Amino acid sequence: MLADDDTRPKYNSTYLGINDTYNFFEDTSFISLLKHKGSNSSNIGEVLKVLESWRNKYNISVVKECSRSDYCSGEFRDLVLAYNNIHGYVSLLICLFGSLANALNVAVLTRRDLASAPINRLLKWLAVADVFVMLEYVPFAIYSYLLFPGQEDRPYSWAVYMLFHMHFTQILHTASILLTLSLAIWRYIAIKYPSYGPALCTDRRCSFAILSSFLLPPILCIPSYFVFTIHEDITLESRPSKVYFVDSNHENSLYQINFWVHAVVIKLLPCAILTVISAWLIRVLYRANSRKKALKGYNACPADAVVNTNGNVFTRKSTKRSKAERRTDRTTRMLVAVLLLFLLTEFPQGILGLMSGTLGRCFFKRCYNLFGEMMDALALLNGAINFVLYCSMSKQFRTTFGQIMRNRCVNTPRASSHTELQTTYV
């Protein structure tokens, strides 16, 4: 989430409401500062104190950046702001649960009976990317929302961490997007072209897809490295002091390029591809469900031997679906659930990013930043809930997870005292 600098005072002579007949240069304190501008006793703090006294004395109104914009106003804005007040607690709970859940995903998917399948390899690295995002988000949430909520006087080291936090989470989250896209394409090929699946979906191609998913994000995020930088400002709250924050250089042409790359290439294009694949997979599942119902109706006759009108007896062939077909359908349902949850999370972010690039900086400041905490929570929830989906929709995953838990809980036989003595002195 980018730092919002709307709280910094912006003075504009057009809207200050100052009496034009008043001459500020008649103020003795200001004249004194001008006379001693070259001396060591005069500093920026004294100038700011004089300016602040003028603002209080003559009721000068402070105009915030984009404060006159009507973007994202109304009761819905108040509702989102109310959630933002509890976002720190919500995100921290999601991160703690998600980190544990994804660690369990990695533990289960690396078992010998699951690790060989390319789909499971993609799911494993998806869990790895998600767990790093959540672990890194924990200190950010604790500092920003729990320890020092609303603090403006942030040191330079915090601005450096914010810059790292923004780029780190964006790169790994983009890796998660590419892994999810690879997962969908992999499943599409396996179901659409079953005869060519073993030749196309090889372990080597799977390794290439995983490696590309982690190498491409740093390249795709290059524009943001130059757009978002550390800025310095002066606060006039309790005492004049310097504050540091991360903000965009909106006058740079890379500002527009970054939003188009982030919105179209990273968000909307994968969402469009996943929408098509998800719709096709849902269609396949619907057909499989219809075929299953038809088979149940055909199996309603209890007898295996059937006599036709001519008196000939024949044996009906078993139409029960095979175990492999049922497992394929379960896996497809699980992946469809993962893809739909991903679309629910990423599609709104892509739309907001596209509108920010189209409508300009005020939309970004008023709307994108407003929904930032909520989008963060959805993205974290998307990565945390996969464990629940795997357990509820994959029998093999549940079985392997149960074996791991039983092995951990079984008490190992106690060693003899002689062995314990030897172990102690080794």
Side-chain angles (χ1 to χ4, degrees):
M1 179 59 194
L2 304 181
D4 189 357
D5 61 340
D6 283 351
T7 56
R8 300 192 312 277
K10 302 284 185 179
Y11 297 101
N12 190 326
S13 60
T14 307
Y15 304 109
L16 289 179
I18 304 173
N19 187 355
D20 295 336
T21 61
Y22 179 79
N23 189 354
F24 286 104
F25 291 97
E26 294 178 359
D27 194 303
T28 57
S29 59
F30 188 72
I31 295 297
S32 175
L33 287 175
L34 290 178
K35 289 181 178 180
H36 298 85
K37 64 180 181 179
S39 64
N40 295 330
S41 60
S42 178
N43 53 50
I44 188 65
E46 295 177 357
V47 175
L48 291 175
K49 289 179 180 179
V50 172
L51 294 176
E52 183 68 10
S53 65
W54 284 355
R55 186 173 73 89
N56 296 329
K57 181 177 181 181
Y58 301 105
N59 196 22
I60 300 175
S61 59
V62 178
V63 176
K64 299 177 182 178
E65 184 182 15
C66 300
S67 62
R68 295 180 177 269
S69 175
D70 293 331
Y71 292 129
C72 299
S73 58
E75 296 181 358
F76 186 70
R77 181 181 183 87
D78 297 334
L79 182 63
V80 176
L81 289 175
Y83 166 77
N84 291 346
N85 293 329
I86 62 172
H87 171 72
Y89 301 96
V90 174
S91 62
L92 191 60
L93 290 176
I94 295 176
C95 286
L96 295 178
F97 169 77
S99 300
L100 177 61
N102 281 291
L104 293 175
N105 287 339
V106 175
V108 174
L109 295 173
T110 51
R111 303 292 289 183
R112 181 176 300 178
D113 51 344
L114 293 177
S116 59
I119 289 289
N120 293 334
R121 292 179 60 193
L122 291 170
L123 291 175
K124 177 190 70 175
W125 285 105
L126 178 62
V128 170
D130 288 337
V131 75
F132 274 104
V133 169
M134 294 179 188
L135 289 176
E136 195 278 334
Y137 201 89
V138 169
F140 166 77
I142 292 176
Y143 187 93
S144 298
Y145 301 104
L146 303 184
L147 296 181
F148 305 101
Q151 181 185 3
E152 296 181 20
D153 191 6
R154 301 263 173 93
Y156 181 79
S157 58
W158 172 253
V160 173
Y161 171 75
M162 275 295 299
L163 194 63
F164 165 78
H165 163 76
M166 185 180 67
H167 293 318
F168 181 82
T169 53
Q170 184 179 6
I171 289 174
L172 282 184
H173 190 62
T174 304
S176 299
I177 294 174
L178 295 180
L179 287 169
T180 305
L181 184 61
S182 303
L183 195 66
I185 295 175
W186 210 269
R187 197 60 184 171
Y188 175 82
I189 294 174
I191 297 178
K192 183 70 173 180
Y193 307 102
S195 58
Y196 298 100
L200 295 175
C201 302
T202 60
D203 290 337
R204 184 176 181 180
R205 285 191 171 93
C206 181
S207 300
F208 177 78
I210 294 171
L211 187 62
S212 301
S213 298
F214 284 96
L215 292 180
L216 283 178
I219 300 175
L220 294 175
C221 297
I222 285 178
S224 66
Y225 305 153
F226 301 96
V227 170
F228 296 97
T229 55
I230 298 176
H231 295 251
E232 179 183 325
D233 203 356
I234 303 296
T235 180
L236 302 176
E237 294 300 328
S238 58
R239 56 182 179 83
S241 60
K242 292 183 179 180
V243 293
Y244 300 92
F245 57 93
V246 176
D247 199 3
S248 58
N249 297 319
H250 57 279
E251 297 179 356
N252 195 331
S253 60
L254 284 176
Y255 179 81
Q256 296 291 335
I257 297 176
N258 176 68
F259 275 106
W260 283 99
V261 170
H262 183 265
V264 177
V265 178
I266 297 180
K267 298 291 185 179
L268 293 182
L269 182 59
C271 285
I273 297 174
L274 290 176
T275 301
V276 175
I277 295 178
S278 299
W280 186 87
L281 291 176
I282 292 174
R283 183 183 178 186
V284 170
L285 289 175
Y286 177 78
R287 289 182 176 179
N289 190 41
S290 300
R291 185 171 63 251
K292 181 180 179 180
K293 291 181 179 179
L295 293 177
K296 284 184 178 180
Y298 185 72
N299 286 334
C301 181
D304 290 331
V306 179
V307 180
N308 61 7
T309 56
N310 297 326
N312 297 324
V313 180
F314 65 93
T315 303
R316 186 183 62 216
K317 293 183 179 179
S318 176
T319 54
K320 186 177 181 180
R321 301 172 72 233
S322 65
K323 182 178 180 181
E325 290 177 341
R326 295 195 299 271
R327 177 179 294 179
T328 298
D329 289 345
R330 287 195 300 267
T331 304
T332 304
R333 289 192 191 95
M334 181 187 70
L335 295 181
V336 167
V338 172
L339 298 182
L340 292 179
L341 183 63
F342 173 85
L343 289 174
L344 181 64
T345 302
E346 301 299 328
F347 193 73
Q349 295 185 32
I351 294 296
L352 285 175
L354 182 62
M355 295 179 69
S356 298
T358 304
L359 300 178
R361 178 175 174 83
C362 282
F363 182 87
F364 173 77
K365 304 298 290 185
R366 292 277 298 174
C367 295
Y368 196 95
N369 280 349
L370 173 67
F371 291 98
E373 280 83 359
M374 188 173 292
M375 290 189 297
D376 284 353
L378 287 176
L380 294 171
L381 184 62
N382 179 32
I385 205 171
N386 285 338
F387 175 78
V388 179
L389 294 177
Y390 301 160
C391 287
S392 61
M393 307 185 74
S394 175
K395 182 179 179 181
Q396 189 178 17
F397 187 93
R398 290 195 303 270
T399 303
T400 306
F401 175 69
Q403 292 175 353
I404 294 176
M405 291 295 101
R406 284 193 296 271
N407 292 337
R408 293 289 183 182
C409 295
V410 170
N411 294 326
T412 57
R414 181 179 176 86
S416 63
S417 59
H418 178 68
T419 305
E420 288 179 352
L421 184 61
Q422 288 181 337
T423 305
T424 303
Y425 286 96
V426 167

